[in-house]
Amino acid sequence: MRDHGLCQHCKLERCITVADMVHHRFPVRSHWHLRLVLSNLVSLCNSCHAKIDHGKIGG
């Protein structure tokens, strides 16, 4: 709801794309307590999510 169902990375590039997943900036496996904290979540499309370096904290 916060991101209106739009990919936030695409939005920065002035492109409107439906977000079909939510990315955890800090991984759930090492930051379980942040799993539902809104500031740790970002709406992304599948394409943008695939481009993220998931080994990098805050990626």
Side-chain angles (χ1 to χ4, degrees), residues 2-4 7-8 11-12 19 26-27 32 36 40 44 47-48:
R2 175 194 67 195
D3 296 332
H4 306 288
C7 174
Q8 297 304 292
K11 187 176 171 187
L12 291 174
F26 292 92
W32 181 254
L36 299 176
N40 188 45
L44 297 177
S47 178
C48 287

PDB file of all heavy atoms in Angstrom, residues 2-4 7-8 11-12 19 26-27 32 36 40 44 47-48:
ATOM      1  N   ARG A   2       1.937   1.215   0.795  1.00  0.00           N
ATOM      2  CA  ARG A   2       2.803   2.384   0.910  1.00  0.00           C
ATOM      3  C   ARG A   2       3.378   2.798  -0.451  1.00  0.00           C
ATOM      4  O   ARG A   2       3.464   3.974  -0.775  1.00  0.00           O
ATOM      5  CB  ARG A   2       3.940   2.088   1.891  1.00  0.00           C
ATOM      6  CG  ARG A   2       4.970   3.195   2.004  1.00  0.00           C
ATOM      7  CD  ARG A   2       6.239   2.769   2.688  1.00  0.00           C
ATOM      8  NE  ARG A   2       6.930   1.794   1.861  1.00  0.00           N
ATOM      9  CZ  ARG A   2       7.913   1.021   2.283  1.00  0.00           C
ATOM     10  NH1 ARG A   2       8.313   1.089   3.531  1.00  0.00           N
ATOM     11  NH2 ARG A   2       8.492   0.160   1.480  1.00  0.00           N
ATOM     12  N   ASP A   3       3.771   1.804  -1.251  1.00  0.00           N
ATOM     13  CA  ASP A   3       4.402   2.074  -2.545  1.00  0.00           C
ATOM     14  C   ASP A   3       3.403   2.026  -3.703  1.00  0.00           C
ATOM     15  O   ASP A   3       3.804   2.075  -4.869  1.00  0.00           O
ATOM     16  CB  ASP A   3       5.534   1.073  -2.784  1.00  0.00           C
ATOM     17  CG  ASP A   3       6.656   1.222  -1.765  1.00  0.00           C
ATOM     18  OD1 ASP A   3       6.851   2.331  -1.238  1.00  0.00           O
ATOM     19  OD2 ASP A   3       7.341   0.224  -1.497  1.00  0.00           O
ATOM     20  N   HIS A   4       2.128   1.921  -3.390  1.00  0.00           N
ATOM     21  CA  HIS A   4       1.052   1.912  -4.393  1.00  0.00           C
ATOM     22  C   HIS A   4       1.219   0.798  -5.421  1.00  0.00           C
ATOM     23  O   HIS A   4       0.811   0.946  -6.576  1.00  0.00           O
ATOM     24  CB  HIS A   4       0.938   3.270  -5.077  1.00  0.00           C
ATOM     25  CG  HIS A   4       0.787   4.405  -4.120  1.00  0.00           C
ATOM     26  ND1 HIS A   4      -0.374   4.624  -3.404  1.00  0.00           N
ATOM     27  CD2 HIS A   4       1.663   5.354  -3.714  1.00  0.00           C
ATOM     28  CE1 HIS A   4      -0.221   5.672  -2.621  1.00  0.00           C
ATOM     29  NE2 HIS A   4       1.006   6.129  -2.785  1.00  0.00           N
ATOM     30  N   CYS A   7       7.028  -0.692  -8.540  1.00  0.00           N
ATOM     31  CA  CYS A   7       8.443  -0.971  -8.318  1.00  0.00           C
ATOM     32  C   CYS A   7       9.164   0.346  -8.033  1.00  0.00           C
ATOM     33  O   CYS A   7       9.109   1.281  -8.835  1.00  0.00           O
ATOM     34  CB  CYS A   7       9.046  -1.655  -9.547  1.00  0.00           C
ATOM     35  SG  CYS A   7      10.835  -1.883  -9.417  1.00  0.00           S
ATOM     36  N   GLN A   8       9.829   0.408  -6.909  1.00  0.00           N
ATOM     37  CA  GLN A   8      10.478   1.643  -6.500  1.00  0.00           C
ATOM     38  C   GLN A   8      11.767   1.914  -7.269  1.00  0.00           C
ATOM     39  O   GLN A   8      12.143   3.067  -7.451  1.00  0.00           O
ATOM     40  CB  GLN A   8      10.725   1.629  -4.990  1.00  0.00           C
ATOM     41  CG  GLN A   8       9.432   1.566  -4.193  1.00  0.00           C
ATOM     42  CD  GLN A   8       8.499   2.701  -4.548  1.00  0.00           C
ATOM     43  OE1 GLN A   8       8.772   3.864  -4.261  1.00  0.00           O
ATOM     44  NE2 GLN A   8       7.372   2.393  -5.170  1.00  0.00           N
ATOM     45  N   LYS A  11      10.587   3.248 -10.631  1.00  0.00           N
ATOM     46  CA  LYS A  11      10.035   4.591 -10.416  1.00  0.00           C
ATOM     47  C   LYS A  11      11.149   5.644 -10.405  1.00  0.00           C
ATOM     48  O   LYS A  11      10.978   6.741 -10.926  1.00  0.00           O
ATOM     49  CB  LYS A  11       9.259   4.616  -9.101  1.00  0.00           C
ATOM     50  CG  LYS A  11       8.500   5.884  -8.841  1.00  0.00           C
ATOM     51  CD  LYS A  11       7.687   5.754  -7.573  1.00  0.00           C
ATOM     52  CE  LYS A  11       7.084   7.069  -7.169  1.00  0.00           C
ATOM     53  NZ  LYS A  11       6.433   6.982  -5.873  1.00  0.00           N
ATOM     54  N   LEU A  12      12.306   5.301  -9.858  1.00  0.00           N
ATOM     55  CA  LEU A  12      13.442   6.219  -9.859  1.00  0.00           C
ATOM     56  C   LEU A  12      13.917   6.521 -11.278  1.00  0.00           C
ATOM     57  O   LEU A  12      14.463   7.592 -11.537  1.00  0.00           O
ATOM     58  CB  LEU A  12      14.603   5.634  -9.045  1.00  0.00           C
ATOM     59  CG  LEU A  12      14.398   5.550  -7.537  1.00  0.00           C
ATOM     60  CD1 LEU A  12      15.559   4.816  -6.889  1.00  0.00           C
ATOM     61  CD2 LEU A  12      14.219   6.924  -6.937  1.00  0.00           C
ATOM     62  N   ALA A  19       4.941  -3.789  -9.063  1.00  0.00           N
ATOM     63  CA  ALA A  19       5.811  -4.545  -8.158  1.00  0.00           C
ATOM     64  C   ALA A  19       5.149  -5.891  -7.883  1.00  0.00           C
ATOM     65  O   ALA A  19       3.965  -5.945  -7.559  1.00  0.00           O
ATOM     66  CB  ALA A  19       6.009  -3.781  -6.860  1.00  0.00           C
ATOM     67  N   PHE A  26      17.715  -5.562   4.593  1.00  0.00           N
ATOM     68  CA  PHE A  26      18.575  -6.363   5.456  1.00  0.00           C
ATOM     69  C   PHE A  26      17.978  -7.763   5.480  1.00  0.00           C
ATOM     70  O   PHE A  26      16.797  -7.926   5.794  1.00  0.00           O
ATOM     71  CB  PHE A  26      18.648  -5.770   6.872  1.00  0.00           C
ATOM     72  CG  PHE A  26      19.366  -4.452   6.900  1.00  0.00           C
ATOM     73  CD1 PHE A  26      18.667  -3.263   6.773  1.00  0.00           C
ATOM     74  CD2 PHE A  26      20.743  -4.404   7.032  1.00  0.00           C
ATOM     75  CE1 PHE A  26      19.319  -2.045   6.781  1.00  0.00           C
ATOM     76  CE2 PHE A  26      21.412  -3.182   7.045  1.00  0.00           C
ATOM     77  CZ  PHE A  26      20.700  -2.009   6.915  1.00  0.00           C
ATOM     78  N   PRO A  27      18.762  -8.773   5.123  1.00  0.00           N
ATOM     79  CA  PRO A  27      18.241 -10.140   4.961  1.00  0.00           C
ATOM     80  C   PRO A  27      17.557 -10.687   6.215  1.00  0.00           C
ATOM     81  O   PRO A  27      18.013 -10.462   7.342  1.00  0.00           O
ATOM     82  CB  PRO A  27      19.482 -10.977   4.654  1.00  0.00           C
ATOM     83  CG  PRO A  27      20.561 -10.018   4.326  1.00  0.00           C
ATOM     84  CD  PRO A  27      20.200  -8.700   4.924  1.00  0.00           C
ATOM     85  N   TRP A  32      16.213 -11.095  11.520  1.00  0.00           N
ATOM     86  CA  TRP A  32      14.841 -11.581  11.676  1.00  0.00           C
ATOM     87  C   TRP A  32      13.923 -10.535  12.301  1.00  0.00           C
ATOM     88  O   TRP A  32      12.772 -10.391  11.900  1.00  0.00           O
ATOM     89  CB  TRP A  32      14.846 -12.868  12.500  1.00  0.00           C
ATOM     90  CG  TRP A  32      13.493 -13.463  12.707  1.00  0.00           C
ATOM     91  CD1 TRP A  32      12.752 -13.460  13.857  1.00  0.00           C
ATOM     92  CD2 TRP A  32      12.698 -14.160  11.735  1.00  0.00           C
ATOM     93  NE1 TRP A  32      11.552 -14.099  13.669  1.00  0.00           N
ATOM     94  CE2 TRP A  32      11.488 -14.540  12.362  1.00  0.00           C
ATOM     95  CE3 TRP A  32      12.880 -14.481  10.393  1.00  0.00           C
ATOM     96  CZ2 TRP A  32      10.493 -15.220  11.696  1.00  0.00           C
ATOM     97  CZ3 TRP A  32      11.875 -15.174   9.742  1.00  0.00           C
ATOM     98  CH2 TRP A  32      10.700 -15.536  10.395  1.00  0.00           C
ATOM     99  N   LEU A  36       9.414  -7.419   9.272  1.00  0.00           N
ATOM    100  CA  LEU A  36       8.152  -6.729   9.002  1.00  0.00           C
ATOM    101  C   LEU A  36       8.239  -5.216   9.225  1.00  0.00           C
ATOM    102  O   LEU A  36       7.224  -4.528   9.180  1.00  0.00           O
ATOM    103  CB  LEU A  36       7.035  -7.312   9.866  1.00  0.00           C
ATOM    104  CG  LEU A  36       6.736  -8.795   9.642  1.00  0.00           C
ATOM    105  CD1 LEU A  36       5.675  -9.283  10.613  1.00  0.00           C
ATOM    106  CD2 LEU A  36       6.309  -9.046   8.210  1.00  0.00           C
ATOM    107  N   ASN A  40      12.569  -1.493   6.249  1.00  0.00           N
ATOM    108  CA  ASN A  40      13.429  -2.563   5.738  1.00  0.00           C
ATOM    109  C   ASN A  40      12.857  -3.191   4.467  1.00  0.00           C
ATOM    110  O   ASN A  40      13.489  -4.037   3.858  1.00  0.00           O
ATOM    111  CB  ASN A  40      13.643  -3.644   6.808  1.00  0.00           C
ATOM    112  CG  ASN A  40      14.680  -4.655   6.395  1.00  0.00           C
ATOM    113  OD1 ASN A  40      15.744  -4.309   5.893  1.00  0.00           O
ATOM    114  ND2 ASN A  40      14.367  -5.919   6.574  1.00  0.00           N
ATOM    115  N   LEU A  44       9.408  -4.164  -5.353  1.00  0.00           N
ATOM    116  CA  LEU A  44      10.187  -4.275  -6.585  1.00  0.00           C
ATOM    117  C   LEU A  44       9.489  -5.174  -7.585  1.00  0.00           C
ATOM    118  O   LEU A  44       8.724  -6.058  -7.209  1.00  0.00           O
ATOM    119  CB  LEU A  44      11.569  -4.877  -6.303  1.00  0.00           C
ATOM    120  CG  LEU A  44      12.517  -4.110  -5.404  1.00  0.00           C
ATOM    121  CD1 LEU A  44      13.789  -4.908  -5.189  1.00  0.00           C
ATOM    122  CD2 LEU A  44      12.830  -2.747  -5.987  1.00  0.00           C
ATOM    123  N   SER A  47      12.256  -8.167 -12.273  1.00  0.00           N
ATOM    124  CA  SER A  47      13.471  -7.801 -13.002  1.00  0.00           C
ATOM    125  C   SER A  47      14.448  -7.030 -12.111  1.00  0.00           C
ATOM    126  O   SER A  47      15.643  -7.326 -12.079  1.00  0.00           O
ATOM    127  CB  SER A  47      13.099  -6.963 -14.222  1.00  0.00           C
ATOM    128  OG  SER A  47      14.243  -6.550 -14.909  1.00  0.00           O
ATOM    129  N   CYS A  48      13.964  -6.044 -11.396  1.00  0.00           N
ATOM    130  CA  CYS A  48      14.828  -5.263 -10.498  1.00  0.00           C
ATOM    131  C   CYS A  48      15.321  -6.107  -9.332  1.00  0.00           C
ATOM    132  O   CYS A  48      16.474  -5.983  -8.910  1.00  0.00           O
ATOM    133  CB  CYS A  48      14.090  -4.029  -9.987  1.00  0.00           C
ATOM    134  SG  CYS A  48      13.897  -2.750 -11.246  1.00  0.00           S
TER     135      CYS A  48
END
